[in-house]
Amino acid sequence: MSILLTAFGVAILIVIYISSTTLEKQLQNNTKNIDLVVGAKGSPMQLILSSLYHVDNPTGNIPMIEANKIAENPLVQLATPISLGDNYKGHRIIGTDASFLELYNLKLKDGKLWSKSFEVVLGAEVARKHNLKIGDKIFSAHGLSADAHQHDDHPFTVVGILIPAQSVADNLILSNLASVWEVHGIAHNGEHIHGEHCDHEHDHSHDDHKHEEHHNHTNEAPIAVNNEKEEHKHDHDHTEHGHSHEAHQHEHIESSHPHKEELVTEKPQDNAFIKSIGEDMIQDQGVEITALLVKYNSPAAISVLPRMINQSTQMQAASPAIESSRIFSLLGVGFDSLEILAYVIMIIAGFSVFISLYNALKDRKYDLAIMRTLGATKAKLFAITLVEGLVITFIGGVIGLILGHIILYYISLQTSQSADFIQAFSINPNEVIILIAAIVIGILASIVPAIKAYKTTISNILASK
């Protein structure tokens, strides 16, 4: 029982320390070069979780043209667009550009960077877990769930594999933005809007413009005749239906405007006005991205840029530093509670060692007395009792270390692929401290029984026997 209690206490502490340490390290690695995340309105924490840690659904999309305006701001040093939408066996496929590698300090281990649509670069863990290599083809699944509908008609080709970065990028699949748009049929529409549709719309508007000018110069008389026919027909209806007040008023208005053609005919507009309307329509139907990862160019941007985005645009700006600290503070409450529980269990284990050794002395006092008669010193009996408590807690500590890593491995299997941050079999420096603490508790629990063994009186014990 003492060994099991010690093992449970040590295992819980191992899980807590390794999880909290690796989590804090991941929080730092994933946000160290990112000062701001710009995305759709919603929860700032959800935006950070989805865009930086890839463990939540996005808050929505933002127009690419609005993101470009922020990227061109003098206060911005680097702005990296990301577009989410698909995954491969739980690993998210991120549409982005080459600046993503600069932002996360990523380097290629094998292959090259994508040069066209449907070429991908794999994170180190993605390639390792699924045994993928250069030239392999993968099929994405719609959405962020591994068991979602698969896009069988759009295979991705692996062209590069990244060096392990100890960040969330190890579990991501990177491609260009066009790949994410095209796999959902967005890029074709975008090309149509920016290309053929724009020219067609402009030509159509220009033809209408010429038609209206010709109509104004050659068909003024027919317009007047049509107006007279309409007035005659209106008068006829007016007589048949009892001279309604509205009809009479309408007739009076028409007769008082001899230049009715100016009201009917639209005045021709210049080409600049028509072009402006076309550009507005293109902007309204432009492509979208999920978020923009921003690196500041100046410390002044800390107070200026987020406020400007939140107040002047339909987007929101979230600070990774603030939201990450909130995340860790929320998780820290749970970690602290579990840590207290683990220490309580280890203290209970120490009491168990004390009780077991103290009760064992009652049954072994005759053995200790015989040992004294055979030449054992009091110090030797004292040391034997201490070593017994030490061995119990040492065995329990070793079992706890093994059990803790098994629990961590099980947790890592249950987490999402993109959130696989726990190194289950890595050795943490705190493990040695925990094992030493368990041994110290065993020694302290053994002191009282050892003192009792030291004070063993041979004559009284043998006489009572």
Side-chain angles (χ1 to χ4, degrees):
M1 182 61 68
S2 301
I3 291 173
L4 286 177
L5 286 172
T6 305
F8 283 137
V10 170
I12 293 174
L13 288 174
I14 293 296
V15 171
I16 290 171
Y17 281 122
I18 292 182
S19 297
S20 60
T21 302
T22 54
L23 177 60
E24 188 174 8
K25 185 178 179 180
Q26 284 288 320
L27 292 177
Q28 293 174 353
N29 289 343
N30 294 335
T31 62
K32 61 182 179 182
N33 291 327
I34 302 171
D35 299 311
L36 197 69
V37 178
V38 182
K41 294 286 187 182
S43 167
M45 184 175 292
Q46 183 181 354
L47 178 60
I48 296 297
L49 289 174
S50 62
S51 301
L52 295 186
Y53 305 115
H54 302 282
V55 293
D56 201 353
N57 293 318
T59 55
N61 292 330
I62 59 175
M64 186 70 174
I65 190 169
E66 295 296 327
N68 288 336
K69 292 179 182 178
I70 297 174
E72 295 168 359
N73 193 297
L75 296 174
V76 174
Q77 177 182 343
L78 186 66
T80 301
I82 62 170
S83 187
L84 308 178
D86 287 353
N87 74 94
Y88 170 72
K89 295 184 178 180
H91 299 278
R92 297 192 176 186
I93 298 176
I94 310 297
T96 184
D97 56 26
S99 64
F100 189 92
L101 276 70
E102 179 183 352
L103 198 64
Y104 281 90
N105 296 324
L106 304 176
K107 296 182 180 179
L108 285 168
K109 177 183 178 183
D110 298 314
K112 61 177 184 177
L113 196 63
W114 61 83
S115 58
K116 58 183 180 180
S117 297
F118 299 108
E119 290 184 344
V120 293
V121 174
L122 305 180
E125 286 297 303
V126 181
R128 182 187 66 82
K129 290 177 182 177
H130 303 289
N131 196 25
L132 295 172
K133 58 185 183 298
I134 304 298
D136 288 348
K137 293 188 180 297
I138 61 175
F139 292 90
S140 64
H142 181 66
L144 305 178
S145 175
D147 55 354
H149 170 70
Q150 185 170 291
H151 296 293
D152 296 327
D153 53 340
H154 291 290
F156 288 85
T157 303
V158 179
V159 297
I161 298 174
L162 297 171
I163 295 175
Q166 302 300 318
S167 68
V168 72
D170 291 340
N171 284 285
L172 299 179
I173 300 173
L174 308 179
S175 68
N176 61 4
L177 288 167
S179 298
V180 178
W181 296 333
E182 289 177 21
V183 79
H184 297 100
I186 299 175
H188 176 73
N189 295 335
E191 292 171 358
H192 184 69
I193 290 172
H194 288 276
E196 299 172 1
H197 181 70
C198 179
D199 295 337
H200 172 73
E201 182 181 27
H202 180 74
D203 293 340
H204 178 70
S205 301
H206 187 64
D207 291 341
D208 289 345
H209 167 63
K210 291 192 293 184
H211 175 71
E212 287 168 2
E213 287 183 346
H214 178 72
H215 192 62
N216 290 336
H217 285 53
T218 61
N219 294 330
E220 291 181 357
I223 291 176
V225 171
N226 290 337
N227 289 336
E228 290 175 1
K229 288 181 179 179
E230 290 176 1
E231 289 177 4
H232 176 73
K233 182 179 178 181
H234 184 70
D235 291 342
H236 178 71
D237 294 339
H238 171 72
T239 305
E240 288 182 351
H241 294 284
H243 303 279
S244 65
H245 175 72
E246 291 81 5
H248 176 73
Q249 184 179 8
H250 181 66
E251 181 182 5
H252 175 72
I253 293 173
E254 287 185 345
S255 62
S256 62
H257 290 81
H259 301 288
K260 178 68 184 296
E261 62 273 16
E262 293 185 2
L263 298 177
V264 176
T265 305
E266 181 182 353
K267 292 185 179 180
Q269 303 292 340
D270 58 358
N271 291 336
F273 178 74
I274 297 172
K275 185 178 180 181
S276 176
I277 295 176
E279 289 178 348
D280 291 341
M281 293 179 65
I282 291 170
Q283 292 177 6
D284 290 342
Q285 300 177 9
V287 291
E288 296 180 330
I289 60 174
T290 303
L292 189 69
L293 311 182
V294 176
K295 183 178 181 181
Y296 291 150
N297 191 33
S298 167
I302 298 175
S303 58
V304 176
L305 201 59
R307 185 181 305 169
M308 180 197 74
I309 295 172
N310 289 327
Q311 295 180 356
S312 305
T313 70
Q314 296 299 316
M315 301 176 289
Q316 72 164 331
S319 170
I322 295 175
E323 299 303 325
S324 297
S325 63
R326 286 181 58 198
I327 293 170
F328 198 75
S329 64
L330 292 174
L331 294 175
V333 175
F335 284 139
D336 292 342
S337 301
L338 287 175
E339 186 176 358
I340 294 172
L341 176 62
Y343 282 119
V344 169
I345 291 175
M346 290 188 68
I347 291 173
I348 293 174
F351 279 113
S352 177
V353 171
F354 165 75
I355 293 171
S356 62
L357 292 178
Y358 193 84
N359 291 333
L361 284 176
K362 295 180 180 179
D363 299 330
R364 293 161 52 194
K365 60 183 179 180
Y366 301 107
D367 298 333
L368 295 176
I370 295 297
M371 289 176 67
R372 286 292 309 279
T373 58
L374 296 175
T377 62
K378 291 184 177 182
K380 189 172 185 178
L381 296 182
F382 181 86
I384 288 174
T385 307
L386 282 181
V387 168
E388 187 173 354
L390 184 149
V391 168
I392 289 174
T393 51
F394 177 77
I395 294 174
V398 172
I399 294 175
L401 291 178
I402 298 172
L403 181 62
H405 285 284
I406 292 175
I407 294 173
L408 287 171
Y409 177 72
Y410 178 77
I411 293 174
S412 68
L413 292 178
Q414 299 302 312
T415 56
S416 170
Q417 297 290 353
S418 60
D420 185 14
F421 61 88
I422 296 178
Q423 301 295 326
F425 297 108
S426 63
I427 304 300
N428 191 290
N430 288 329
E431 294 183 29
V432 178
I433 299 175
I434 293 172
L435 185 59
I436 292 174
I439 293 173
V440 169
I441 289 176
I443 293 174
L444 292 176
S446 305
I447 288 178
V448 174
I451 293 175
K452 187 173 178 64
Y454 179 84
K455 294 182 177 180
T456 299
T457 304
I458 301 175
S459 57
N460 293 340
I461 293 175
L462 294 179
S464 61
K465 185 66 176 176

